[in-house]
Amino acid sequence: MKVIADLCIVPIGVGVSVSKEIVICERILSAAGLKTHLHAYGTNIEGDWDRVFAAVKQCHEALHAAGVPRISSSMRFGTRIDREQTTEDKFAAWKKN
Amino acid sequence: MKVIADLCIVPIGVGVSVSKEIVICERILSAAGLKTHLHAYGTNIEGDWDRVFAAVKQCHEALHAAGVPRISSSMRFGTRIDREQTTEDKFAAWKKN
Amino acid sequence: MKVIADLCIVPIGVGVSVSKEIVICERILSAAGLKTHLHAYGTNIEGDWDRVFAAVKQCHEALHAAGVPRISSSMRFGTRIDREQTTEDKFAAWKKN
Amino acid sequence: MKVIADLCIVPIGVGVSVSKEIVICERILSAAGLKTHLHAYGTNIEGDWDRVFAAVKQCHEALHAAGVPRISSSMRFGTRIDREQTTEDKFAAWKKN
């Protein structure tokens, strides 16, 4: 099952700056071979369901291993069976309207 | 890794009423042996990370199998390594303040 | 316009415990005369759109005034024009299925 | 109060394709003079709190006026008082790490 997702990880208990933690996660998602796009409030992730969620788990594990005591993430994820869709398809549909 | 989560599944393309789909998911989450609490805009889920996310995947699969063409979910999930915490602990902490 | 919402406020930069901040927000939402239900990962809020969002803004302002340097909230909010709906109606619909 | 937000509006009851509705919202957010960035699962919005949330309300109102019977949105929004921050600042911080 293919999923298009958007992940926002919020490290708690490491102070106000969380950019170091965001970079750790970006590297994990890239290394997982997933198509990603980092934006101002999260990261788009596209790929096979199991690989996407395995990478999300790896992000939590890596941040805790790096000393982050608590993490609160929010994620959107969409699946569909009516047709195949990529993020590029989404943008193309918006441009037509 | 233990996770406390909150899941909101939105079926798309089945009309305005989605209560049938919500009930399908509630049954899956209960059958998975996870501690859950259904509220007005989602479901609290507490348990082992892998079991929680396996159940979430099962919800998407079951809804698609039931004819839902498209699903958009939003989920919050928190992990912590500083101490064990249950949803009851959260409520107790709020009452103390 | 009536809205049924779910709000999760995450204070950043105040350490791992955020229960004090959650209590501040609960008091603001109650004082605003909104119907609320606190659960393990957020708060259901039901009421008039403008009053709900005014109270959400007040939560951010009060936490900053209390010394919280940074806040990251996630919120779900639903509106509908096909019929009136309360949170009780939602639960009743789920029970019928 | 300045806010950096991310909005995802899901129209319910209009079928599986929601690209027409996304375009309506994009136009409203742009017309509101807000800095926005459309990505694969939402839109970044940066601006004054009141103007951002007024535009979000306008999106719900415009979609209902266009015949959408039900809408479920999810939104993240962050505020901070320790320093001024733009979305560009966020990206710059990530690049340094």
Side-chain angles (χ1 to χ4, degrees):
Chain A
M1 187 164 51
K2 160 84 178 294
V3 67
I4 294 182
D6 190 63
L7 173 68
C8 174
I9 290 182
V10 179
I12 300 173
V14 292
V16 286
S17 174
V18 297
S19 50
K20 201 183 70 180
E21 286 75 18
I22 289 172
V23 172
I24 291 175
C25 294
E26 283 308 301
R27 284 185 189 143
I28 289 169
L29 298 172
S30 295
L34 297 164
K35 196 153 76 176
T36 63
H37 163 69
L38 177 67
H39 56 79
Y41 218 131
T43 304
N44 297 159
I45 314 172
E46 184 182 340
D48 169 68
W49 179 289
D50 291 335
R51 291 182 60 202
V52 167
F53 283 93
V56 172
K57 185 186 179 188
Q58 232 186 311
C59 289
H60 272 242
E61 289 174 332
L63 291 190
H64 284 317
V68 178
R70 189 175 186 179
I71 305 168
S72 185
S73 293
S74 82
M75 190 173 176
R76 303 175 187 130
F77 42 95
T79 56
R80 62 193 305 174
I81 55 168
D82 57 329
R83 61 183 184 84
E84 294 257 332
Q85 188 187 42
T86 62
T87 54
E88 285 78 20
D89 296 333
K90 281 191 162 192
F91 283 106
W94 298 332
K95 273 188 192 142
K96 277 196 302 188
N97 276 276
Chain B
M1 187 164 50
K2 159 84 179 296
V3 67
I4 294 183
D6 189 65
L7 173 67
C8 174
I9 291 185
V10 180
I12 301 173
V14 292
V16 286
S17 174
V18 298
S19 49
K20 203 183 67 181
E21 286 75 19
I22 288 172
V23 172
I24 291 175
C25 294
E26 283 307 300
R27 284 184 189 144
I28 289 169
L29 298 172
S30 296
L34 296 165
K35 196 153 77 177
T36 63
H37 163 68
L38 177 67
H39 58 78
Y41 219 131
T43 304
N44 295 160
I45 314 171
E46 183 181 340
D48 170 69
W49 178 290
D50 290 335
R51 291 182 60 201
V52 168
F53 283 93
V56 173
K57 185 187 179 188
Q58 233 186 309
C59 289
H60 271 243
E61 289 174 334
L63 291 191
H64 285 316
V68 178
R70 188 175 186 178
I71 304 167
S72 185
S73 293
S74 81
M75 191 174 177
R76 303 175 188 130
F77 41 96
T79 56
R80 60 193 306 173
I81 54 165
D82 56 330
R83 60 184 185 85
E84 293 257 333
Q85 187 188 44
T86 64
T87 54
E88 285 78 19
D89 296 332
K90 280 191 163 193
F91 283 106
W94 298 331
K95 274 191 190 136
K96 277 195 301 189
N97 277 277
Chain C
M1 187 164 50
K2 160 86 179 296
V3 67
I4 294 181
D6 190 63
L7 173 67
C8 175
I9 290 184
V10 180
I12 301 172
V14 292
V16 286
S17 173
V18 297
S19 49
K20 202 183 69 179
E21 287 74 18
I22 288 172
V23 172
I24 291 176
C25 294
E26 282 308 299
R27 284 183 191 147
I28 289 169
L29 298 172
S30 296
L34 297 164
K35 197 153 77 175
T36 64
H37 164 68
L38 178 67
H39 57 78
Y41 219 131
T43 304
N44 295 160
I45 315 172
E46 183 183 339
D48 169 68
W49 179 289
D50 290 334
R51 289 181 62 200
V52 168
F53 283 93
V56 173
K57 185 187 178 188
Q58 232 186 310
C59 290
H60 272 243
E61 288 174 333
L63 292 190
H64 285 316
V68 178
R70 189 176 185 178
I71 304 168
S72 185
S73 294
S74 82
M75 190 174 178
R76 302 174 187 131
F77 41 95
T79 57
R80 60 193 306 173
I81 54 166
D82 57 330
R83 61 184 184 83
E84 294 257 333
Q85 189 187 41
T86 62
T87 54
E88 285 77 20
D89 296 332
K90 280 191 162 191
F91 282 106
W94 298 333
K95 272 188 192 141
K96 279 195 302 191
N97 277 277
Chain D
M1 186 164 51
K2 160 85 178 294
V3 66
I4 294 182
D6 191 63
L7 173 68
C8 174
I9 290 183
V10 179
I12 301 172
V14 293
V16 286
S17 175
V18 297
S19 50
K20 202 184 66 179
E21 286 75 19
I22 288 172
V23 172
I24 290 175
C25 294
E26 283 307 300
R27 284 184 190 146
I28 288 168
L29 298 172
S30 295
L34 297 164
K35 195 151 80 174
T36 63
H37 164 68
L38 178 68
H39 58 78
Y41 220 131
T43 304
N44 296 160
I45 313 173
E46 183 182 340
D48 169 69
W49 179 290
D50 290 334
R51 290 182 60 199
V52 168
F53 283 93
V56 172
K57 185 187 179 189
Q58 231 186 312
C59 289
H60 271 243
E61 288 175 332
L63 291 190
H64 285 316
V68 178
R70 190 176 185 178
I71 304 167
S72 186
S73 293
S74 81
M75 190 172 175
R76 301 175 189 132
F77 41 95
T79 56
R80 61 192 306 173
I81 54 165
D82 56 329
R83 61 182 184 85
E84 294 257 332
Q85 187 187 43
T86 63
T87 54
E88 285 77 20
D89 295 332
K90 280 189 162 194
F91 283 106
W94 298 333
K95 272 190 192 140
K96 279 196 301 190
N97 277 277

